[in-house]
Amino acid sequence: MTATQAGTGADPYVLPMPNPDSPVVLAKWISPGNTHPNSRYRDPFWAMAPLIDNPASPCSGSPGGTARRRCRAN
């Protein structure tokens, strides 16, 4: 923190409050090939697809999860 920030009381780690139209996931965190819609704060449920690198893959999921076992079985 610089002396200027300390003098004004500004905290560089405090983020601005989102409004209902703010995206849940910032564009810089979404893979370029990911075409799934990004949720907004107003939505009752937030899609996790923008955070997954390959959301269309039938084998995506946590390691050892049921999706991975199904893919190995095929």
Side-chain angles (χ1 to χ4, degrees):
M1 185 180 309
T2 65
T4 306
Q5 290 172 332
T8 61
D11 187 346
Y13 298 103
V14 175
L15 299 173
M17 201 59 170
N19 64 41
D21 292 325
S22 297
V24 173
V25 181
L26 297 177
K28 68 180 184 178
W29 300 117
I30 299 175
S31 298
N34 194 322
T35 59
H36 290 274
N38 192 359
S39 299
R40 304 290 175 199
Y41 273 84
R42 69 173 171 261
D43 297 336
F45 300 99
W46 294 350
M48 294 291 103
L51 296 173
I52 300 170
D53 192 34
N54 189 4
S57 172
C59 296
S60 62
S62 61
T66 56
R68 292 238 185 251
R69 283 195 290 275
R70 269 183 298 193
C71 290
R72 277 190 232 132
N74 291 337

